Amino acid sequence: MGHWISYLCSGFADLLMLLLVLSLSCNPSTAATASPSAPHVKTSYSFGRTFLGLDKCNACIGTSICKKFFKEEIRFDTWLSSHLKLPPSYLLSYSGNYTDDAKSWRMVDITRLTSKYRHDRADKRICTSLLKTKTCSLERALRRTHRFQKWLRAKRLTPDLVQGLSSPMLRCPSQRLLDRIVRRYAEVPDAGSIYMDHLTDRDKLRLLYTLSVNSHPILLQIFPDVEGWPFPRYLGSCGRLVVSASTRPLRDFYGAAPEVAADLALQLLAILRSMGTNDLNYFFYFTHVDAGTFGVFSNGHLFIRDASTLGIIDKEEGSQLTDGQQEYKDIFSCLTVDCQSAFVSCNSIREKHSLVMVCQELLPKLLKGKFLQPMQEKIDSFLQHCADSLADDQGLDEAVAKLAELLKPLRSCDSRFAYRYPDCKYSDKY
């Protein structure tokens, strides 16, 4: 009897082994580990609402591009590694990849309007100053403010609704400029109207919050690149992250070849000219420039990469605020800057100010030591004249014209400059 039972157990064990072998050959997930040619099963990416800033909405920028993040149609560069980890949340900007068809990808910049540290400080300031608590519902606190209550009742965005906001774009606002903001605000369905009837209470808070923290994404929306404005394309926002077309900062080109440096310098001068003279009769000026203010696309085209320090004066209507109204301060005036900061008077802004700053801060670093003598000496001389000519408009214009004249023959016409190649072969313009 025992011998018979032993025989049955042995047969049963053989049967189990056979079934196991069969299951290994039929189970695709097990076979994938055994066969190096089988497709790799992709680990699922996970987002925290905190990383995106969605937990702070509607004290945020918008949600128009959130689906792209969650469908993995926007990927951070670090996602291309085997670890699939999100980058650190304390960074101000990230390189990413964007797709519309899951086949072709293009580079994008993913940025915060300010550092996470400043965001956290501002959030704490809202709670402690408005509700006298360390933590709170940011939306509930901001809704109770006098300014936002005025926004809720308003049919139209008027200068008194933005008075005292720290954004240079709103230091000297005209009604024409504010109407353009409402009509082209991309985080809501396009109504094409200057009235705010199509904006919900949530939309109004997001727009006010964005204008209070950093007007960069608003400038990209109201002056789009497809109309010829020198800004990267705005693709959307999610929480407190903004997605736009990718550019390399100008600092990356300080060591570029002489012909590349000459080309970028000429583009820079052309952008500054267009900022003072354009079809819409707006005068754009910088309150500050640095090596990250301008960026270069892969085709060699120069754009304004960071518009946060860009102010606007309406040459057609003029400013609708007096200096006294500019000085008005509330919690929205202090989200990213010191509340004690003094505003620059609209009447004190000079059209040549941006050009002088660029001649002082950027062009010397871009053009220094690039050319043979005596050409380099002449370029340095005109740059110095430009940098010292804030009080001499005529001398500044002459220095810039002479500098452009020197630089034009120094640039080349080849495929590195795709934005103007092969047109430059057949045009005297280049």
Side-chain angles (χ1 to χ4, degrees), residues 214-340:
N214 187 328
S215 57
H216 169 77
I218 302 299
L219 273 159
L220 269 56
Q221 294 168 43
I222 66 177
F223 297 109
D225 67 310
V226 293
E227 294 179 3
W229 298 98
F231 301 106
R233 180 165 302 181
Y234 177 81
L235 298 172
S237 299
C238 184
R240 289 180 170 179
L241 292 180
V242 179
V243 183
S244 58
S246 177
T247 58
R248 288 175 60 193
L250 187 63
R251 70 171 67 88
D252 290 359
F253 295 84
Y254 283 168
E259 60 273 19
V260 174
D263 183 81
L264 293 175
L266 283 166
Q267 288 191 70
L268 195 49
L269 294 175
I271 284 180
L272 294 178
R273 280 196 299 272
S274 70
M275 288 168 58
T277 306
N278 52 73
D279 292 342
L280 293 185
N281 221 12
Y282 287 116
F283 161 51
F284 298 80
Y285 67 94
F286 285 103
T287 58
H288 170 78
V289 295
D290 58 36
T293 302
F294 295 90
V296 184
F297 281 119
S298 57
N299 65 357
H301 208 169
L302 184 81
F303 276 68
I304 297 173
R305 187 173 192 255
D306 179 4
S308 62
T309 63
L310 203 59
I312 302 176
I313 292 179
D314 192 335
K315 294 164 73 173
E316 194 170 294
E317 288 189 4
S319 172
Q320 305 294 311
L321 285 182
T322 65
D323 287 343
Q325 287 175 307
Q326 281 183 303
E327 295 299 329
Y328 173 86
K329 300 282 178 69
D330 66 355
I331 190 65
F332 289 101
S333 311
C334 315
L335 291 183
T336 55
V337 296
D338 180 2
C339 279
Q340 305 307 314

Side-chain angles (χ1 to χ4, degrees), residues 7-75:
Y7 178 80
L8 283 176
C9 288
S10 175
F12 185 71
D14 291 342
L15 179 61
L16 281 177
M17 182 60 71
L18 177 61
L19 289 173
L20 180 60
V21 170
L22 288 173
S23 68
L24 283 171
S25 62
C26 297
N27 189 331
S29 63
T30 310
T33 61
S35 172
S37 61
H40 174 66
V41 178
K42 185 177 67 176
T43 304
S44 178
Y45 304 120
S46 62
F47 267 109
R49 290 169 58 83
T50 303
F51 180 87
L52 294 169
L54 279 172
D55 58 324
K56 304 297 176 65
C57 284
N58 292 302
C60 63
I61 312 165
T63 56
S64 61
I65 210 164
C66 287
K67 286 184 179 179
K68 286 279 187 182
F69 278 106
F70 290 111
K71 290 167 65 179
E72 299 169 24
E73 293 175 347
I74 295 177
R75 299 183 180 183

Side-chain angles (χ1 to χ4, degrees), residues 195-214:
Y195 297 102
M196 295 198 290
D197 298 335
H198 63 293
L199 270 63
T200 64
D201 294 358
R202 175 199 66 191
D203 298 329
K204 289 182 178 181
L205 181 57
R206 290 178 180 178
L207 177 57
L208 173 56
Y209 180 84
T210 307
L211 291 172
S212 302
V213 175
N214 187 328

